[in-house]
């Protein structure tokens, strides 16, 4: 395997960090790598807010379900879809289409993954924070996000102070197919995968979590997630048509 593949296959979410800051050269390398991500039609429809003010960071952590690592990581970045920039420079641009939400989300996700992979290649670690969407109105006000900008996810970065096992992924045969979507999923593969995930959680939590992958999905998808999100997106100028 190449070093790049080894880094990507060795990914673990890190939620405990030392107090060591990142160097300027590390920050520059991560930012440059993020910007090198592919961009649909070269729209570059993303913005990244690096939260360095301790007071603002504390408020962001509070809005993100008080996840301690949002406050303790050396770096916390908020990745946003951004069409405000386009409207500023080209006021006649037509925005508000659902497709533009997809473009902004995809562009920004690619940037985020590039950033984390670059950080991991430098011996750093991180974890994505979807909880930035828990209180989008308050977060947007705190970070002074104008219309056309929506927070999609956060990213903690820092020097790892833990060494967790990689979380087992779905078997390739359940995710990859050829020419067409498979007619029936492989029941035996899913049964074995559920066993692996249960073992992972039991080992990771010292027996405190007994959960399969399908059990986790049943729990998560049994309730509506963030029912306010469509209203927020429209308030920021997305999904109007």
């Amino acid at each position: 395997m190449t070093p790049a593949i080894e880094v990507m296959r060795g990914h673990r979410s890190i939620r405990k960090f030392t107090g060591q800051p990142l160097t300027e050269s590390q920050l520059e390398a991560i930012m440059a790598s993020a910007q090198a991500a592919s961009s649909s039609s070269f729209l570059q429809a993303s913005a990244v807010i690096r939260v360095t003010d301790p007071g603002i960071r504390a408020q962001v952590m509070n809005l993100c379900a008080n996840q301690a690592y949002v406050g303790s990581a050396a770096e916390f970045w908020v990745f946003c879809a951004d069409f405000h920039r386009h409207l500023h420079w080209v006021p006649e641009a037509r925005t508000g289409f659902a497709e533009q939400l997809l473009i902004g989300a995809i562009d920004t996700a690619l940037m985020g993954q590039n950033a984390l992979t670059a950080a991991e290649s430098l011996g750093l670690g991180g974890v994505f924070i979807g909880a930035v969407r828990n209180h989008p109105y308050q977060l947007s006000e705190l970070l002074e996000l104008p219309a056309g900008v929506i927070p999609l996810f956060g990213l903690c970065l820092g020097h790892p102070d833990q060494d967790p096992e990689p979380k087992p992924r779905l078997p390739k045969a359940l995710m990859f197919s050829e020419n067409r979507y498979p007619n029936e999923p492989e029941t035996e593969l899913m049964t074995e995968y559920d066993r692996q995930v249960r073992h992972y959680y039991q080992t990771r939590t010292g027996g405190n979590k007994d959960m399969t992958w399908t059990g986790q999905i049943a729990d998560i998808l049994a309730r509506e997630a963030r029912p306010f999100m469509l209203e927020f997106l429209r308030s920021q100028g997305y999904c109007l048509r």
Side-chain angles (χ1 to χ4, degrees):
M1 289 194 298
T2 66
I5 291 174
E6 289 180 356
V7 168
M8 287 184 279
R9 293 189 64 173
H11 164 71
R12 295 92 38 83
S13 290
I14 299 297
R15 294 177 173 85
K16 187 177 180 182
F17 302 91
T18 72
Q20 184 178 353
L22 273 62
T23 66
E24 287 300 319
S25 62
Q26 288 173 329
L27 288 169
E28 175 58 32
I30 295 168
M31 290 178 180
S33 298
Q35 282 197 279
S38 299
S39 173
S40 178
S41 300
F42 201 46
L43 288 173
Q44 303 181 83
S46 306
V48 183
I49 312 297
R50 183 181 169 218
V51 183
T52 59
D53 182 286
I56 296 177
R57 177 87 77 96
Q59 293 180 72
V60 171
M61 185 180 73
N62 180 61
L63 294 173
C64 292
N66 280 312
Q67 296 178 89
Y69 30 92
V70 173
S72 63
E75 294 284 326
F76 184 72
W77 299 1
V78 178
F79 284 76
C80 307
D82 179 10
F83 277 93
H84 175 80
R85 181 189 304 118
H86 305 74
L87 287 170
H88 176 81
W89 295 108
V90 186
E92 67 274 16
R94 298 179 65 199
T95 60
F97 296 96
E99 170 65 9
Q100 290 165 347
L101 172 62
L102 295 176
I103 289 171
I106 293 168
D107 272 20
T108 307
L110 294 174
M111 280 191 71
Q113 187 62 56
N114 263 26
L116 180 55
T117 301
E120 290 173 336
S121 77
L122 296 171
L124 304 169
V127 61
F128 288 112
I129 306 296
V132 298
R133 301 190 303 279
N134 283 2
H135 301 282
Y137 292 101
Q138 294 93 321
L139 185 70
S140 296
E141 181 178 359
L142 177 64
L143 300 182
E144 300 182 13
L145 305 183
V149 180
I150 52 173
L152 296 176
F153 55 88
L155 177 60
C156 297
L157 292 173
H159 292 266
D161 195 24
Q162 60 178 178
D163 188 22
E165 291 182 55
K167 189 176 290 185
R169 272 13 188 204
L170 280 165
K172 288 188 289 294
L174 290 178
M175 188 166 283
F176 294 87
S177 61
E178 191 168 336
N179 297 322
R180 62 184 62 84
Y181 196 86
N183 291 327
E184 295 291 337
E186 297 281 351
T187 302
E188 290 184 7
L189 286 177
M190 182 55 74
T191 299
E192 172 59 19
Y193 181 61
D194 269 345
R195 187 196 65 78
Q196 292 176 10
V197 171
R198 171 176 274 136
H199 176 74
Y200 167 82
Y201 280 132
Q202 289 177 335
T203 302
R204 175 177 169 178
T205 65
N208 292 324
K209 184 173 181 177
D210 184 17
M211 179 71 75
T212 63
W213 186 76
T214 54
Q216 182 171 319
I217 297 311
D219 179 61
I220 293 172
L221 299 185
R223 57 189 182 275
E224 185 178 10
R226 302 184 178 104
F228 46 79
M229 190 54 66
L230 181 57
E231 178 186 323
F232 170 71
L233 291 173
R234 287 174 172 166
S235 74
Q236 289 294 92
Y238 285 80
C239 295
L240 301 179
R241 49 198 169 201

